[in-house]
């Protein structure tokens, strides 16, 4: 306690000395000069720092596993991969046409009024690893809105849902079925003269079902056979043998695929916009948005392989700007994770945002900055930048010391010498 | 100036968030005597059978958007009603409920109408895309429902009721069937297997009641979950009043 009082006494006596002497004026001058210089330094540094640290258009690649995703097809039409199924439910369709075995007349199953929510389910009669149907072709036109999601979990099958809302034409899907299957219509117009419920097989000449969507939409829910991975979309369009026609603007198809650990969904790269990995929800009466990420993902930078990829936790939100276009390079259904394994790449002109669930204030834009990219191209630029990073503060510091410390001292010395010179002259005169 | 900066910052934050990427005037909110608008997407937590709509099988042709949509339902006794109108196959997540017009609705036919221009027209939702359910003396979904079937129309209602459309949704993949009983003499009027139903996907049970006399009826949907074989059950009791008399 005593030493504290002793320190206080020293401080007080120092302050009294400062106030009574010229030291106070000098100190005030130094403070003013320091702030002035600091302001100048900040003004000089802010524009280049802002320029160097503002995110720029960045080519990003995202590897994610999601249970649901929505997107709009940007430019090129996309093709669904050949997907095996043990059962498939078609919704939002207008009509289904096919040619049963041993008949030459095509059969057409038409949906009743939309308010009855008509649907048709195709079930393989003896489902096995070798007996299944195939979604041979589903073409999605540009500007169509696509929703892919996994449905309820089952032990023996995976259920996937693909819903398409087309901008212009009604979507058309084509299903191939070589073995016997049951066709279960719900709120469809009766087909006269043919028992459409038990189909022994489709004609060899035309073994396809054609489904036409309704109202520019089509929804497919399918149960897939057991396979570890399978693709979802393909590039080539196959011949028009069996097709499903959606109702006006819409078609909803539900597949039950037998268990395959993973299968691709698209074969070609698809250009997309308005990508979302969101599921809106209510928790305790409050509206919340939930993420559909199922596993840790990553954001990498193909143009700068030396930059460490950013890890995205499975509880995080990933938000892409609606106007940015991304290529879906790969999309597989992974039955181990019960979700879609996707690889997206594209030039992010707007923010690529992630934030942990429940903490929107921790939003982070993962585009690169000039500061991060400059050193990545050549070693020379990298070394130069590193040198500059160390040199700039040193130079600024030296200039500041010079302005605050050296120049005022020189001025003071000159002033003192002028004063002492004057006094000399006054003495001489006396 | 500070206010302006704060406003700009908050607007940017909120407008760019996908959750807010719709017109706020269409959001679910109190509108005169009802709550109406776009609701968040529903939670798929309930694995049971849910009654989404119970309406008279009557579809009025709609060429242009009407100014109002109307509802008519019959009560055998004065009762409190929980009225809900929603999309049958949710795409825009429209919901109307918590109608505050009356505490108790009277015996006989009760009319209700609401503007179709504020929310339905901007969303381009036609009357045939909507379903409605009027729960009697109960405010939430229950395995034993008591409802008043609803006539959904915009200009002319039918003079005779010849059928009902019941829309359900099951939370998990399930194998279901249904029966319809007459409560007057406990007679079984209709029985049908619905087969496998996909979880989360709504389906319709259509009952042709053109021969059925006025009285109490019960629709029972039974089955089991394909996930864990747990039993599923939903009963809907209602009064069938075949003729609509009077002006509403």
């Amino acid at each position: 306690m005593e030493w504290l009082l002793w320190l206080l006494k020293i401080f007080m006596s120092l302050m009294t000395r400062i106030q009574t002497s010229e030291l106070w004026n000098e100190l005030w001058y130094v403070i003013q000069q320091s702030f002035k210089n600091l302001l100048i330094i900040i003004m000089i540094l802010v524009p280049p720092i802002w320029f160097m640290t503002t995110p720029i258009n960045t080519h990003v690649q995202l590897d994610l596993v999601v249970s649901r995703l929505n997107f709009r097809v940007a430019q090129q039409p996309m093709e669904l991969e050949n997907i095996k199924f043990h059962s498939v439910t078609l919704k939002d369709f207008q009509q289904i046409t096919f040619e049963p075995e041993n008949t030459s007349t095509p059969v057409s199953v038409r949906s009743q009024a939309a308010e009855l929510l008509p649907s048709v389910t195709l079930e393989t009669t003896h489902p096995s690893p070798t007996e299944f149907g195939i979604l041979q072709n589903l073409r999605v036109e540009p500007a169509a809105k696509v929703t892919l999601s996994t449905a309820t979990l089952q032990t023996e099958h995976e259920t996937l849902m693909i819903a398409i809302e087309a901008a212009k034409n009604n979507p058309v899907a084509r299903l191939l079925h070589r073995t016997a299957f049951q066709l279960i219509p719900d709120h469809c117009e009766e087909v006269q003269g043919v028992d459409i419920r038990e189909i022994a097989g489709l004609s060899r000449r035309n073994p396809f079902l054609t489904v036409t969507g309704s109202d520019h939409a089509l929804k497919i829910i399918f149960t897939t056979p057991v396979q570890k991975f399978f693709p979802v979309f393909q590039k080539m369009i196959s011949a028009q043998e069996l097709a499903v026609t959606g109702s006006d603007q819409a078609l909803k198809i539900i597949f039950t695929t037998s268990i395959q650990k993973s299968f691709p969904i698209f074969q070609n790269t698809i250009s997309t916009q308005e990508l979302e990995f969101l599921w809106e929800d209510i928790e305790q009466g409050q509206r919340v948005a939930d993420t559909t990420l199922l596993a840790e993902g990553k954001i990498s930078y193909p143009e700068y392989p030396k930059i460490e990829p950013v890890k995205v936790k499975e509880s995080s939100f990933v938000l892409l700007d609606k106007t940015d276009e991304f290529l879906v390079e790969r999309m597989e259904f992974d039955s181990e994770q019960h979700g879609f394994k996707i690889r997206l790449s594209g030039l992010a002109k707007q923010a690529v945002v992630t934030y942990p669930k429940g903490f929107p204030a921790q939003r982070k834009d993962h585009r690169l900055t000039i500061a991060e990219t400059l050193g990545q191209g050549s070693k020379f630029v990298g070394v130069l930048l590193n040198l500059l990073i160390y040199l700039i503060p040193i130079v600024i510091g030296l200039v500041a010391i010079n302005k605050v410390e050296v120049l005022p001292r020189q001025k003071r010395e000159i002033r003192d010498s002028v004063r002492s010179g004057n006094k000399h002259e006054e003495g001489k005169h006396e | 100036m500070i206010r302006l900066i704060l406003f700009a910052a908050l607007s940017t934050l909120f407008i760019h968030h996908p959750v807010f990427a719709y017109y706020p005037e269409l959001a679910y909110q109190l509108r005169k005597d009802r709550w109406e608008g776009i609701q968040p997407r529903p939670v798929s937590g309930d694995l049971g059978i849910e009654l989404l709509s119970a309406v008279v099988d009557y579809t009025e042709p709609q060429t242009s958007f009407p100014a109002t949509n109307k509802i008519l339902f019959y009560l055998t006794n004065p009762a409190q009603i929980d009225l809900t109108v929603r999309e049958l196959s949710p795409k825009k997540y429209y919901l109307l409920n918590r109608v505050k017009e009356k505490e108790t609705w009277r015996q006989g036919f009760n009319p209700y109408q609401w503007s179709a221009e504020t929310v339905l027209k901007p969303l381009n939702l036609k009357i045939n895309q909507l379903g409605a359910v009027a729960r009697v003396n109960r405010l939430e979904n229950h395995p034993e429902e008591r409802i008043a079937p609803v006539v959904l129309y915009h200009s002319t209602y039918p003079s005779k009721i010849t059928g009902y459309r019941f829309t359900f949704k099951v939370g998990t993949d399930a194998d279901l069937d249904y029966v319809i009983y007459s409560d007057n003499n406990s007679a079984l009027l209709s029985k049908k297997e619905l087969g496998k139903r996909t979880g989360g996907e709504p389906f319709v049970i259509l009952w042709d009641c053109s021969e059925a006399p006025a009285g109490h009826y019960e629709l029972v949907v039974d089955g089991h979950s394909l996930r864990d074989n747990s039993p599923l059950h939903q009963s809907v009791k209602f009064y069938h009043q075949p003729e609509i008399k009077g002006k509403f």
Side-chain angles (χ1 to χ4, degrees), chain A residues 289-424:
Chain A
D290 207 351
T291 175
T292 58
L293 261 66
L294 293 171
E296 188 177 87
K298 71 173 182 185
I299 300 169
S300 47
Y301 308 96
E303 285 173 2
Y304 306 102
K306 285 178 189 168
I307 295 178
E308 195 71 16
V310 179
K311 288 181 180 171
V312 184
K313 287 187 178 171
E314 65 176 79
S315 58
S316 295
F317 282 85
V318 178
L319 307 176
L320 303 174
D321 195 87
K322 289 194 169 187
T323 54
D324 272 344
E325 218 170 274
F326 286 90
L327 286 177
V328 181
E329 290 184 355
R330 194 180 67 198
M331 184 184 291
E332 286 179 344
F333 181 77
D334 184 346
S335 65
E336 278 184 353
Q337 312 214 56
H338 304 292
F340 302 98
K341 228 175 182 175
I342 53 171
R343 171 168 282 180
L344 308 168
S345 71
L347 186 70
K349 293 175 184 166
Q350 304 296 327
V352 177
V353 172
T354 67
Y355 66 85
K357 187 181 176 183
F359 300 96
Q362 293 181 21
R363 296 159 70 93
K364 199 175 171 193
D365 184 354
H366 291 286
R367 287 177 299 160
L368 296 174
T369 59
I370 291 176
E372 287 168 306
T373 58
L374 266 180
Q376 301 295 322
S378 76
K379 273 192 174 176
F380 175 78
V381 177
V383 172
L384 187 69
L385 267 174
N386 277 331
L387 280 174
L388 283 176
I389 285 165
Y390 287 107
L391 278 177
I392 287 172
I394 291 167
V395 170
I396 289 169
L398 287 174
V399 169
I401 289 165
N402 184 47
K403 284 203 85 175
V404 175
E405 194 60 39
V406 179
L407 288 180
R409 193 181 295 157
Q410 285 174 351
K411 275 182 189 172
R412 202 163 57 238
E413 282 168 6
I414 292 165
R415 190 181 61 202
D416 289 347
S417 66
V418 170
R419 273 184 192 169
S420 61
N422 286 344
K423 277 182 184 173
H424 260 288

Side-chain angles (χ1 to χ4, degrees), chain A residues 68 70 87 89 91-92 115-117 123 152-154 159 186-187 219 221 223 250 252 254 256 276 278-282 287 289 319 321-322 355 363, chain B residues 13 16-19 21-22 38-43 57 59 88-89 91 93 128 165 167 171-173 196-199 201-206 227:
Chain A
R68 179 190 175 93
N70 304 321
S87 85
T89 303
K91 302 191 90 172
D92 293 341
E115 53 265 34
L116 295 173
L117 308 175
E123 280 185 355
T152 50
L153 299 178
Q154 292 181 25
T159 305
D186 188 26
H187 299 300
K219 192 170 182 181
I221 303 170
T223 312
K252 192 174 181 179
I254 304 169
T256 308
E276 270 184 14
L278 282 174
W279 179 262
E280 285 176 59
D281 227 342
I282 301 171
R287 178 186 182 145
L319 307 176
D321 195 87
K322 289 194 169 187
Y355 66 85
R363 296 159 70 93
Chain B
L13 187 75
H16 283 89
H17 197 287
V19 172
Y22 65 86
I38 302 169
Q39 258 286 66
R41 296 170 198 186
V43 186
D57 185 26
T59 309
L88 286 173
S89 192
K91 280 177 186 151
Y93 300 95
N128 66 347
R165 288 197 306 261
T167 308
T172 176
D173 286 6
K196 187 195 150 196
R197 294 288 150 174
T198 307
E201 292 295 323
F203 59 91
V204 174
I205 293 173
L206 189 65
R227 181 193 270 187

Side-chain angles (χ1 to χ4, degrees), chain A residues 252-294:
Chain A
K252 192 174 181 179
I253 310 180
I254 304 169
F255 291 89
T256 308
T257 67
S258 61
I259 293 175
Q260 313 160 76
K261 272 196 167 175
S262 162
F263 50 91
I265 312 251
F266 301 98
Q267 212 175 56
N268 59 330
T269 52
I270 314 150
S271 182
T272 61
Q273 280 182 322
E274 300 177 27
L275 261 156
E276 270 184 14
F277 315 105
L278 282 174
W279 179 262
E280 285 176 59
D281 227 342
I282 301 171
E283 276 178 17
Q284 295 172 342
Q286 296 293 311
R287 178 186 182 145
V288 291
D290 207 351
T291 175
T292 58
L293 261 66
L294 293 171

Side-chain angles (χ1 to χ4, degrees), chain B residues 3-245:
Chain B
R3 277 185 191 177
L4 193 72
I5 291 165
L6 271 173
F7 176 75
L10 285 171
S11 311
T12 316
L13 187 75
F14 280 87
I15 288 166
H16 283 89
H17 197 287
V19 172
F20 299 91
Y22 65 86
Y23 300 103
E25 63 268 24
L26 300 180
Y28 179 72
Q29 57 192 274
L30 179 64
R31 298 170 197 273
K32 290 182 181 172
D33 59 344
R34 66 198 184 276
W35 284 74
E36 186 191 10
I38 302 169
Q39 258 286 66
R41 296 170 198 186
V43 186
S44 55
D46 188 4
L47 299 179
I49 305 168
E50 187 186 352
L51 175 68
L52 301 176
S53 169
V55 295
V56 168
D57 185 26
Y58 171 71
T59 309
E60 224 181 344
Q62 185 178 333
T63 46
S64 61
F65 255 94
T68 55
N69 278 345
K70 295 171 185 170
I71 270 173
L72 206 56
F73 58 89
Y74 183 84
L75 292 177
T76 50
N77 293 302
Q80 286 186 325
I81 289 290
D82 175 34
L83 185 64
T84 304
V85 181
R86 68 180 117 199
E87 277 178 279
L88 286 173
S89 192
K91 280 177 186 151
K92 288 157 185 169
Y93 300 95
Y94 172 82
L95 182 75
L96 180 152
N97 64 4
R98 294 155 75 184
V99 175
K100 295 182 175 190
E101 192 179 68
K102 288 171 191 168
E103 275 295 303
T104 307
W105 300 73
R106 66 186 170 87
Q107 186 198 355
F109 277 102
N110 288 273
Y112 175 71
Q113 65 177 46
W114 78 100
S115 168
E117 288 178 337
T118 47
V119 183
L120 290 169
K121 194 175 178 183
L123 289 176
N124 195 26
L125 278 176
K126 291 176 181 165
I127 203 162
N128 66 347
Q129 292 172 276
L130 302 177
V133 62
R135 291 189 167 88
V136 181
N137 293 330
R138 195 180 288 280
L139 295 172
E140 54 193 46
N141 195 32
H142 192 269
E144 307 281 331
E145 294 267 22
R146 184 158 198 89
I147 57 109
V150 167
V151 184
L152 204 53
Y153 68 105
H154 51 80
S155 51
T156 317
Y157 54 83
S159 57
K160 198 166 181 345
I161 293 169
T162 56
Y164 291 108
R165 288 197 306 261
F166 298 93
T167 308
F168 294 92
K169 188 181 82 171
V170 64
T172 176
D173 286 6
D175 197 2
L176 302 171
D177 53 45
Y178 75 86
V179 285
I180 295 174
Y181 296 104
S182 163
D183 264 14
N184 301 342
N185 51 11
S186 295
L188 180 74
L189 300 176
S190 177
K191 185 179 179 181
K192 196 179 172 189
E193 281 189 14
L194 290 164
K196 187 195 150 196
R197 294 288 150 174
T198 307
E201 292 295 323
F203 59 91
V204 174
I205 293 173
L206 189 65
W207 181 45
D208 179 0
C209 62
S210 50
E211 303 295 320
H216 291 278
Y217 292 85
E218 185 176 7
L219 163 68
V220 179
V221 184
D222 268 323
H224 64 275
S225 157
L226 293 175
R227 181 193 270 187
D228 55 8
N229 291 325
S230 57
L232 298 164
H233 174 86
Q234 177 72 58
S235 151
V236 181
K237 289 181 175 175
F238 59 97
Y239 186 83
H240 167 52
Q241 174 60 40
E243 287 186 349
I244 304 176
K245 288 176 182 169

